[in-house]
Amino acid sequence: MGVSRRHPQDSTRINILEPWDLQYWSDRWNVPRRQVVDTIRRVGDQVHDVAQALGKD
């Protein structure tokens, strides 16, 4: 099974300590993983907040 096929355990939060979790959201929003991490550091780990900050909601 490829990394990008794995789904997050918690669909409301992004775990920056799990590479596959970052990859999932990076692929879903079509943005670099680094941008996901930087956004989480700025707005927190709630999926809704990160999506909104990335303009992906």
Side-chain angles (χ1 to χ4, degrees), residues 26-50:
S26 173
D27 290 347
R28 180 168 175 179
W29 291 323
N30 195 31
V31 298
R33 286 186 351 174
R34 180 85 238 159
Q35 188 175 359
V36 175
V37 171
D38 291 345
T39 304
I40 289 169
R41 289 187 175 140
R42 194 166 35 90
V43 302
D45 66 357
Q46 295 289 318
V47 170
H48 174 75
D49 295 339
V50 176

